[in-house]
Amino acid sequence: MVVAIIVAVLVGLVSVIPFNVAIKKIRAVDPTKSLNLLGSFLLTIAASFVILVAGMVVCKLVAPDVALAYAVAELVAFVVGVIVFGVFLSKRR
């Protein structure tokens, strides 16, 4: 169970990486084109959720007895990672 939680935290943190890519991409987008900004963020969120769901599916197939603990740990790590990323980004400006 401990291994599943550790893997879940790692996958949750990896799913935050697309937000860093989106921030770099958004700086190059013309701010008057709001749909371009929206598209980047929607793709980022979709990519993050694909990573999260893929991790949950693999866990359900490999170790179904710890799937709930894995899912909770993964989502908590994702939420904490996004919050820390946002705080880091606001402090950098």
Side-chain angles (χ1 to χ4, degrees), residues 39-52:
S40 295
F41 274 120
L42 288 177
L43 286 174
T44 300
I45 292 169
S48 292
F49 281 121
V50 164
I51 294 169
L52 291 173

Side-chain angles (χ1 to χ4, degrees), residues 78-93:
F78 175 72
V79 169
V80 169
V82 168
I83 291 170
V84 168
F85 180 75
V87 168
F88 177 74
L89 189 63
S90 68
K91 294 286 183 183
R92 195 169 73 178
R93 290 182 185 207

